[in-house]
Amino acid sequence: MRSTLSRRTTATGALIAAAALLAVGVQTGTATATPGGAAEATPVASGANPGALPRQLSPSQRAELIREATASRAATAKQLGLGSQEKLVVRDVIQDNDGTTHTRYERTFGGLPVLGGDLVVQESKAGATKSVTKASRTTSAQLKAVDTTADIAPAAAEKQALGLAKADGSSRAAADKAPRKVVWMASGTPQLAYETVVGGLQEDGTPNALHVVTDATSGAKLYEWQAIENGVGNTEYSGQVTLNTSGSYNLTDTTRGNHKTYNLNHGTSGTGTLFSGTDDVWGNGLASNAETAAADAHYGAAETWDYYKNVHGRTGIKGNGVGAYSRVHYGNSYVNAFWDDSCFCMTYGDGSGNASPLTSLDVAAHEMSHGVTSNTAGLIYSGESGGLNEATSDIFATAVEFYANNSTDVGDYLIGEKIDINGDGTPLRYQDKPSRDGASKDAWYSGIGNVDVHYSSGPANHFFYLLSEGSGAKTINGVSYNSPTSDGLPVTGIGRAKAEQIWFKALSTKFTSTTNYAAARTGTLAVAGELYGTTSAEYKSVADAWAGINVGTRPGGGTDPGGTVFENTTVVSIPDAGSAVTSSVNVTGRTGNAPSTLKVGVDITHTYRGDLVLDLIAPDGSAYRLKNSSSSDSADNVKTTYTVNASSEAANGTWKLKVQDVYASDTGKINSFKLTF
C-alpha cells in the first residue's frame, strides 16, 4: 500500500495495510470469534491429495519434530556436503499428513551466522531426502574461501549504518548493539560482512530496525532492509462481535495462546496497560472510546489465529501455540500500523487527529501474516523477495476477510476498501488489476526489484486473483472485477481455497529468504504437483496465472495474440562463465517506432537459469535488461515472453538477444529468439 511519506527504495517504505473500526454492541450485523473457528470457515480445498496437505501439529508434536531434527543436524550437514566449519540450526519443521517432513535450517560458518544460507530439506516418511530448496546456489557446497578476519573495524560499519538511517529521515538513530560479524551469502558469493541494526524512530514515528550489511573487507554497503513491517490507513467499522476474554474482565484470549491487547495510551514503547473493565462489553463503536480500537484489534487477532489453525493447521504465528500481543493507541496522530518481530506483536496508531484507529480485520491479518512469513520463508523485505513478502500479507488479509464471513465487512479482493484513504471512496489496492491504484504493477518485468515493495507486490497479488477467480469481467459479493493478463490469453481460476492452500504450502515449504518471482513460480508449481498432480487442471492454471503476469510460459506454449513475428531459430551455445553471445533478428517492413508492448520471446535451455543475464539490444545499440542473474533462481531453462517498452526505438533494423552466463559450472544454449510487433 501507499506510504504517506517518501522512503529510500532499498530500505523499503512503510507498509500500508487496510483498516476498519470494529465495534461491540452498537454496529449493525453480527460476527463471532469463537474458540476453534470463525462464523463460517472457508471450505478446505477439495480434490487435493490428502497426504500432501499439512498435518495439524500440536505445539508439543512440533517441538518433538524440531528436537529430532536438531539431534540429527550434524548428519544432515554431512549429507549436504557442508564443511567442518559449517553447522545447521533448525528453524522450523512442518509435516504433511503422509509423514513427509519439511525442515527449515539456518546455517553458521565458524560460528558466524550465514545470511542467505537458509535451506529447506524435504524428506519422506522413511527418511529419504526428496528435495532441497536453497536460498543460495552454493548452499549445498562447502564454504571454502571465506576469510573470517575483517579488514575494517566494526565502528566503520556502524557509522555507515547510522548515516543511511539518518538519510532516510530517522530520528534518535542509534545502533541497537555492536555490529555483528556475519557471512553474507544472499547475493551469491559468500563474503565476510558486518550486520548493523539501527534503532530509534523512522521519519513518520514508526520504530526503526534498519539492517545494514557492510563488506568487512572494503567497507562498501552490500544490502539494507527495514525489519519493521508496517501499514497506513484510516478506519471505521465491521459490526458487532463476540470476544474471548478472561477474569473479571480483561482482554486476554485464553483460547488462542493468551493473546493480550494493551493500551499504549499514546506512548511509543513498552506494552502499556492491559485492557480491563468491570463488564465484558468493550467499546461503543466510536473512536473516542479507547476500548473500541482494542475490540477491533482483539477480534482481528482471533480471526487470523483461527484462519491459520483451521485452514492450514498452524497453531499460532510460530506454530508453537504462543499468541502474539496487540498494542493500540500508539503515538499521537500516528497513521501507521506495524508488525515487529522483536516484540512479537502488532501495533496500531490512531490515525490523523487520533480519530480513526487503524485496527480493522484486514490490518490485523496483514500484520500477523508478516509474522508468519518471518517464521517460515523469512523473505527479505527488499527487492523481489520484499514484494513477495508484502503480497503474502495482502493475500492472507483477503483470505482472512473471506474466512471471517462478516456481514458488515464482506470478503473481497480490494485492500483498504473501508478506510477511504484516497478521500474518494476508492480502495488502496486492487488484486484483480493492481495498476488501478496508480502505482502498483500488474506484471513482472526486469527491474521490478528496484520498485518499492508495496508496488512490486502487485504481480503476486494479481497472480493470486487470477488463480482464484480467473481472468475477465465478473462480480463477486457485489463487487465488479475485470482482470487482464499480460499475454492476452485467458486464465481459468481454481477457486480461492485451492489458491490459498498452494500459496501457504509454497511459503512454508518451498520459499526461502531470497525467493524471487521466478523461484516463486517454481515453488508453487511444485506444490500444485504434490497436491493435484502435474497433469491436473490446477497445475495448468498455476502455470497460466504466472504466464498471465509475465512469469514463465503456459504448458504446451501459448498463441501470441496477433502481431507480426520475427524469429531466429539458429541454436547458439552459451559459454560457461564466459563472454556474452547474441541471437539476431532483422526486422523489415515496419513503419515508425517499435511498440510500447514489444513482446520478446526467449527459449533457452540451461541447467541453472540464475546464472544468466539477458538483454534486448535495439538496432541503435540501446540495451533493455530482460533478466538479471540471481543466486536463488535454481530452476532450469528460460522459456518465457518479456514485454519491453521500445517505443523510442525505430522498429526496422537488427535486434539482438544478448545472453551471458556469469557463474561457473552450468551450461546451456539459445534455442530461439523472436519479436512480436
Side-chain angles (χ1 to χ4, degrees):
M1 300 180 186
R2 187 183 55 189
S3 172
T4 56
L5 297 171
S6 175
R7 304 217 192 285
R8 179 195 298 260
T9 299
T10 53
T12 78
L15 297 174
I16 300 177
L21 186 62
L22 209 72
V24 175
V26 296
Q27 300 296 338
T28 59
T30 302
T32 303
T34 56
E40 180 180 318
T42 299
V44 175
S46 61
N49 173 12
L53 292 172
R55 176 187 174 197
Q56 184 166 317
L57 298 171
S58 68
S60 61
Q61 288 171 327
R62 175 179 176 273
E64 176 60 19
L65 288 173
I66 290 175
R67 186 197 67 76
E68 292 173 358
T70 300
S72 61
R73 58 183 175 169
T76 301
K78 183 177 180 180
Q79 182 186 28
L80 293 173
L82 304 187
S84 59
Q85 288 186 275
E86 299 174 78
K87 308 294 181 186
L88 292 175
V89 179
V90 180
R91 179 176 173 183
D92 194 15
V93 181
I94 289 173
Q95 190 172 71
D96 296 340
N97 288 327
D98 64 4
T100 299
T101 59
H102 310 267
T103 306
R104 188 176 294 275
Y105 297 96
E106 302 287 356
R107 190 152 56 129
T108 63
F109 176 83
L112 302 178
V114 181
L115 305 185
D118 52 301
L119 63 149
V120 182
V121 177
Q122 181 181 7
E123 293 182 327
S124 69
K125 184 177 182 179
T129 299
K130 298 171 69 175
S131 68
V132 180
T133 304
K134 304 166 289 184
S136 172
R137 65 177 281 110
T138 52
T139 300
S140 63
Q142 297 181 21
L143 300 182
K144 298 178 180 178
V146 181
D147 183 356
T148 57
T149 302
D151 292 335
I152 67 168
E158 181 175 330
K159 181 179 179 181
Q160 179 190 73
L162 292 173
L164 290 168
K166 290 175 181 176
D168 282 341
S170 298
S171 61
R172 290 185 273 168
D176 286 348
K177 50 189 172 183
R180 67 169 183 167
K181 267 191 190 179
V182 299
V183 176
W184 176 249
M185 200 171 175
S187 298
T189 304
Q191 56 195 119
L192 186 67
Y194 287 108
E195 180 191 26
T196 309
V197 182
V198 180
L201 297 175
Q202 296 181 47
E203 191 174 12
D204 65 350
T206 304
N208 201 27
L210 180 67
H211 291 240
V212 180
V213 180
T214 304
D215 189 324
T217 299
S218 67
K221 187 195 79 172
L222 298 175
Y223 210 77
E224 64 171 297
W225 73 91
Q226 181 62 254
I228 298 293
E229 297 167 348
N230 62 353
V232 171
N234 190 353
T235 73
E236 207 141 51
Y237 27 74
S238 269
Q240 185 181 77
V241 298
T242 299
L243 303 176
N244 183 270
T245 59
S246 65
S248 303
Y249 298 90
N250 66 73
L251 287 183
T252 300
D253 192 334
T254 57
T255 66
R256 299 177 178 88
N258 287 319
H259 170 272
K260 300 178 186 293
T261 301
Y262 293 94
N263 184 4
L264 278 175
N265 195 28
H266 305 300
T268 57
S269 62
T271 56
T273 305
L274 181 66
F275 275 94
S276 60
T278 58
D279 58 33
D280 213 4
V281 178
W282 305 91
N284 63 1
L286 300 175
S288 57
N289 185 312
E291 290 183 353
T292 299
D296 277 337
H298 208 66
Y299 170 70
E303 289 292 343
T304 305
W305 174 286
D306 289 350
Y307 168 78
Y308 279 109
K309 181 178 181 180
N310 296 337
V311 176
H312 302 298
R314 188 174 186 85
T315 306
I317 286 174
K318 287 187 175 180
N320 62 358
V322 177
Y325 65 87
S326 299
R327 306 185 301 176
V328 298
H329 305 307
Y330 172 91
N332 188 43
S333 294
Y334 177 69
V335 287
N336 267 317
F338 59 89
W339 167 265
D340 186 351
D341 273 331
S342 66
C343 68
F344 198 60
C345 69
M346 294 82 65
T347 303
Y348 305 90
D350 284 332
S352 180
N354 295 322
S356 303
L358 283 79
T359 47
S360 74
L361 176 60
D362 47 1
V363 166
H366 182 107
E367 303 308 342
M368 291 176 74
S369 294
H370 278 304
V372 172
T373 297
S374 176
N375 287 281
T376 52
L379 292 161
I380 295 173
Y381 200 65
S382 185
E384 289 192 25
S385 61
L388 291 168
N389 186 320
E390 177 67 9
T392 295
S393 281
D394 280 353
I395 286 167
F396 291 122
T398 292
V400 170
E401 192 173 80
F402 275 101
Y403 174 88
N405 196 35
N406 186 299
S407 60
T408 304
D409 185 7
V410 297
D412 54 48
Y413 294 93
L414 307 174
I415 308 299
E417 74 280 1
K418 291 285 185 180
I419 63 179
D420 195 24
I421 197 170
N422 298 321
D424 57 5
T426 58
L428 290 169
R429 288 202 281 232
Y430 305 78
Q431 290 183 302
D432 66 320
K433 188 178 181 182
S435 62
R436 291 174 65 189
D437 68 12
S440 292
K441 309 304 179 184
D442 289 335
W444 181 90
Y445 63 92
S446 177
I448 198 169
N450 298 322
V451 176
D452 184 279
V453 295
H454 314 98
Y455 308 136
S456 65
S457 65
N461 273 321
H462 192 190
F463 163 81
F464 175 72
Y465 177 87
L466 287 170
L467 185 60
S468 297
E469 305 292 348
S471 57
K474 53 182 60 70
T475 300
I476 303 166
N477 281 353
V479 179
S480 296
Y481 304 96
N482 193 358
S483 192
T485 59
S486 63
D487 60 3
L489 301 175
V491 172
T492 301
I494 62 174
R496 191 181 58 259
K498 291 180 179 180
E500 293 169 18
Q501 195 67 256
I502 288 170
W503 192 266
F504 180 81
K505 187 173 172 69
L507 176 77
S508 56
T509 68
K510 307 297 182 186
F511 293 0
T512 67
S513 61
T514 60
T515 293
N516 59 13
Y517 271 96
R521 177 185 184 273
T522 300
T524 52
L525 280 171
V527 166
E530 292 169 6
L531 292 173
Y532 301 102
T534 56
T535 60
S536 65
E538 289 83 0
Y539 188 92
K540 182 180 186 304
S541 284
V542 171
D544 287 351
W546 281 118
I549 64 159
N550 198 33
V551 180
T553 58
R554 295 171 181 257
T559 304
D560 288 303
T564 302
V565 177
F566 299 85
E567 184 172 14
N568 185 344
T569 58
T570 301
V571 174
V572 179
S573 296
I574 304 170
D576 183 29
S579 301
V581 294
T582 61
S583 176
S584 303
V585 296
N586 188 33
V587 176
T588 60
R590 306 298 297 176
T591 302
N593 287 357
S596 60
T597 56
L598 178 64
K599 302 296 183 182
V600 185
V602 177
D603 184 339
I604 293 175
T605 301
H606 199 274
T607 52
Y608 201 104
R609 58 173 284 157
D611 288 359
L612 301 179
V613 177
L614 276 61
D615 290 290
L616 175 68
I617 309 299
D620 67 355
S622 299
Y624 295 83
R625 179 58 51 90
L626 303 176
K627 176 189 175 300
N628 289 312
S629 61
S630 172
S631 61
S632 65
D633 187 4
S634 59
D636 295 338
N637 309 327
V638 183
K639 298 178 184 293
T640 190
T641 299
Y642 299 97
T643 302
V644 173
N645 182 354
S647 57
S648 63
E649 305 290 343
N652 290 333
T654 301
W655 295 76
K656 298 178 181 179
L657 174 67
K658 178 182 175 183
V659 181
Q660 184 171 18
D661 183 333
V662 297
Y663 292 112
S665 302
D666 293 276
T667 58
K669 59 185 178 179
I670 304 173
N671 298 311
S672 67
F673 157 53
K674 67 179 179 180
L675 297 177
T676 304
F677 284 80

